Amino acid sequence: MSEREKQQRMFDALKKITREHMTPDQLRRAAERDYGLSYTEALEMAYENIQAEAKAAIKGMRRPA
């Protein structure tokens, strides 16, 4: 994977996280109505989803020297 492809993959992941995930305030208002979950449960799931997206973005990459 080229350096350009790596950068693009990380950029895409960060862009997705910022645009497709609700803010904590949005999640607080929508958790029960949209997901049938308490705010705490919805926040925990959102956090886990963000971690999974970040993990997928850096999979197979090494830390720069």
Side-chain angles (χ1 to χ4, degrees):
M1 178 178 294
S2 73
E3 190 64 30
R4 172 106 170 97
E5 290 171 322
K6 290 177 186 177
Q7 289 176 350
Q8 186 66 50
R9 190 166 76 177
M10 287 190 289
F11 176 83
D12 291 344
L14 290 172
K15 188 174 179 181
K16 182 178 180 183
I17 288 168
T18 61
R19 292 197 174 160
E20 294 183 13
H21 289 278
M22 294 180 182
T23 66
D25 286 335
Q26 290 170 327
L27 196 55
R28 185 178 287 110
R29 291 189 300 266
E32 184 70 38
R33 179 188 69 228
D34 293 351
Y35 307 113
L37 299 171
S38 71
Y39 168 66
T40 305
E41 290 173 308
L43 185 61
E44 183 177 316
M45 292 176 73
Y47 186 83
E48 290 170 353
N49 289 341
I50 290 170
Q51 283 186 315
E53 288 175 23
K55 184 177 180 179
I58 63 169
K59 184 176 181 178
M61 292 186 194
R62 294 181 152 230
R63 186 172 190 261

